[in-house]
Amino acid sequence: MLSEQTPDPVRQHALAALTATFITQGHPTQYATHMATAAIFQTDLELRNAQLTHLLGWLKQEHGDIYPDAIALLERSREAFEQRLQTGG
């Protein structure tokens, strides 16, 4: 998760601040760190989903000729991802 990526000072600060908030609320340190990591990860997913939705909307409106190919590419990516999950690799 966060520790596997290149260190990002903004993320590290957010992780530390959110962890401290959870600790202040009475959560054990170990759980607070996991909770903060999960919250940041969820926010990243929501941002990426919003970006992809915006990009697809723009493609559909401005480049309708390639929009179906973009949708097909996303579907192939999803299928490949699911296949990797099923095969464990």
Side-chain angles (χ1 to χ4, degrees), residues 12-69:
Q12 294 304 317
H13 178 73
L15 181 62
L18 198 49
T19 299
T21 299
F22 287 137
I23 291 169
T24 300
Q25 292 174 351
H27 298 283
T29 302
Q30 180 182 5
Y31 296 128
T33 301
H34 292 300
M35 292 168 63
T37 300
I40 292 169
F41 183 73
Q42 180 63 38
T43 302
D44 280 349
L45 288 177
E46 290 171 9
L47 172 61
R48 290 174 199 273
N49 187 47
Q51 289 171 323
L52 184 58
T53 299
H54 184 77
L55 177 60
L56 287 173
W58 176 79
L59 273 176
K60 187 175 185 178
Q61 182 176 354
E62 300 294 326
H63 301 281
D65 55 323
I66 62 170
Y67 176 75
D69 292 333

